[in-house]
Amino acid sequence: MTILGLGRMGTALSRALLTARYRTTVWNRTPSKAGGLVGLGAERAETPGAAIAASPMTIICVADYDGVQEVLDAGRAALRERTLVNLTTGTPQDARAMATRVAGRGAAYLDGAMMAVPQSVATPSAFFLYSGSPDAFDRHRHTLDALATSHYLGNDPAAAELWDFALLGSGYAALTGFLHSLALLDTEGVPPSRFVPLVAQWLHGMTEYMSELAREIESGDYSAGVSPVGMNQVAVESLTRVSEHLGIDAEVLGPLRALLERGVARGHGDESFASLFELLRQRPSQLPGHDVGPTIARTR
Ligand SMILES: NC(=O)c1ccc[n+]([C@@H]2O[C@H](COP(=O)([O-])OP(=O)(O)OC[C@H]3O[C@@H](n4cnc5c(N)ncnc54)[C@H](OP(=O)(O)O)[C@@H]3O)[C@@H](O)[C@H]2O)c1
């Protein structure tokens, strides 16, 4: 197999392939970064074209899609009848455009997203998302599984990037809330590590609650929710007041406060928390009377 790009992730991917005993060819713009991998048994190619030609499947993992484009331009002649797996982070639009370009050069294309950090590659916590050519995924799945658990999301090459952003969004919201919680507890000198076991149990319970929210959204019936929007609005207002009283920054709660206020103003107060999805799926400018919705700024 071939890896183009030996930054933090490309190096970890190469190591995983070598550990799984795949014959591995590597190339990097700055050639010296290949040294350690050559010591582990990798073959170093002089050019992207030589690297692509060396293997049926090439994984590219560079900083961004402009870099992918540059590298593939240099190696384009070798792409015919090869498979390219692009693990570089980009947008869904980037992925579709790249799939078209790569298909034009006669190669099969899989776009991918790595739900991992370098040190978690090839460990049970890592999983990678793929979308694009189903044949290419079937053909190379065994190899891809050496990097992380593989999830194939369908033949639209944009899917992996879209799901990546969806997972990032949930992750950032949870981590931002976690940091806010730590700031709250810090006012009483509680060390972060003491909080971790309880917040982990709490968030685990939340993942079960997500299944319930998903069922409500899929049915479109928000009437039976045990956690209505109005009740949550009161809770988040209290959380904000407590935070401000303790002198900590409550800014991260602002968007949620605004959403809950909007939900109550639109008549969702007695409906499940899941009903807020109906507001989020529309841009504010598409909502009726969007300019009259209450905002945090106006309530202060
Ligand atoms: N690090 C993570 O935890 C993580 C997790 C998930 C996803 N990702 C994604 O994985 C990708 C790589 O991340 P990384 O952390 O490995 O980055 P990195 O350590 O900064 O390495 C960047 C790599 O891209 C190469 N590169 C940049 N511009 C290039 C160009 N124009 N032409 C050729 N090569 C170019 C660099 O080559 P040189 O060595 O010559 O500079 C280097 O090999 C990114 O899209 C990132 O978003 C990273």
Side-chain angles (χ1 to χ4, degrees):
M1 300 302 145
T2 286
I3 305 280
L4 301 173
L6 301 176
R8 285 161 296 193
M9 288 308 278
T11 299
L13 301 174
S14 304
R15 282 175 180 275
L17 288 180
L18 289 164
T19 302
R21 303 194 170 278
Y22 283 97
R23 184 171 163 255
T24 304
T25 300
V26 296
W27 173 88
N28 193 57
R29 179 179 63 179
T30 307
S32 57
K33 287 194 188 165
L37 293 166
V38 170
L40 295 174
E43 290 166 36
R44 175 174 24 205
E46 296 298 322
T47 63
I52 294 168
S55 310
M57 179 184 78
T58 289
I59 294 172
I60 185 163
C61 184
V62 294
D64 54 32
Y65 271 61
D66 288 343
V68 173
Q69 191 57 51
E70 266 181 50
V71 175
L72 294 187
D73 281 348
R76 91 181 127 231
L79 274 170
R80 182 156 294 283
E81 295 186 3
R82 296 286 193 263
T83 294
L84 183 77
V85 181
N86 182 11
L87 294 182
T88 306
T89 303
T91 66
Q93 293 85 339
D94 287 335
R96 282 204 189 107
M98 190 58 69
T100 304
R101 281 193 213 113
V102 170
R105 290 170 187 175
Y109 183 76
L110 275 177
D111 204 277
M114 302 176 288
M115 309 317 295
V117 290
Q119 59 273 27
S120 69
V121 168
T123 70
S125 71
F127 64 96
F128 288 7
L129 311 173
Y130 298 99
S131 57
S133 166
D135 292 344
F137 181 73
D138 287 345
R139 210 165 36 248
H140 297 291
R141 179 176 192 152
H142 188 68
T143 311
L144 298 174
D145 281 345
L147 306 174
T149 304
S150 309
H151 295 278
Y152 179 70
L153 300 171
N155 59 9
D156 179 352
E161 302 292 354
L162 183 65
W163 283 60
D164 184 22
F165 282 115
L167 289 165
L168 282 178
S170 291
Y172 279 129
L175 291 182
T176 310
F178 174 62
L179 296 182
H180 178 260
S181 303
L182 293 183
L184 202 58
L185 292 171
D186 184 59
T187 62
E188 289 296 327
V190 179
S193 56
R194 215 178 129 205
F195 183 56
V196 169
L198 284 186
V199 75
Q201 188 177 357
W202 174 241
L203 291 179
H204 181 72
M206 288 279 177
T207 61
E208 286 161 14
Y209 181 45
M210 281 175 201
S211 300
E212 192 179 319
L213 299 183
R215 269 194 301 279
E216 289 174 346
I217 290 168
E218 287 172 6
S219 72
D221 180 0
Y222 301 112
S223 59
V226 291
S227 181
V229 171
M231 185 191 85
N232 282 289
Q233 186 195 20
V234 172
V236 174
E237 288 300 326
S238 299
L239 176 56
T240 305
R241 271 199 306 279
V242 168
S243 302
E244 287 172 350
H245 177 73
L246 291 171
I248 71 158
D249 190 333
E251 190 85 15
V252 296
L253 299 169
L256 177 57
R257 284 178 73 199
L259 186 64
L260 288 162
E261 281 190 49
R262 198 144 57 88
V264 170
R266 305 245 177 269
H268 298 287
D270 292 330
E271 292 183 346
S272 157
F273 187 79
S275 67
L276 296 174
F277 169 76
E278 301 296 340
L279 303 183
L280 288 172
R281 77 199 304 197
Q282 291 176 292
R283 290 183 200 159
S285 61
Q286 294 171 323
L287 292 167
H290 70 95
D291 53 335
V292 298
T295 65
I296 295 300
R298 274 184 236 160
T299 56
R300 274 200 180 129

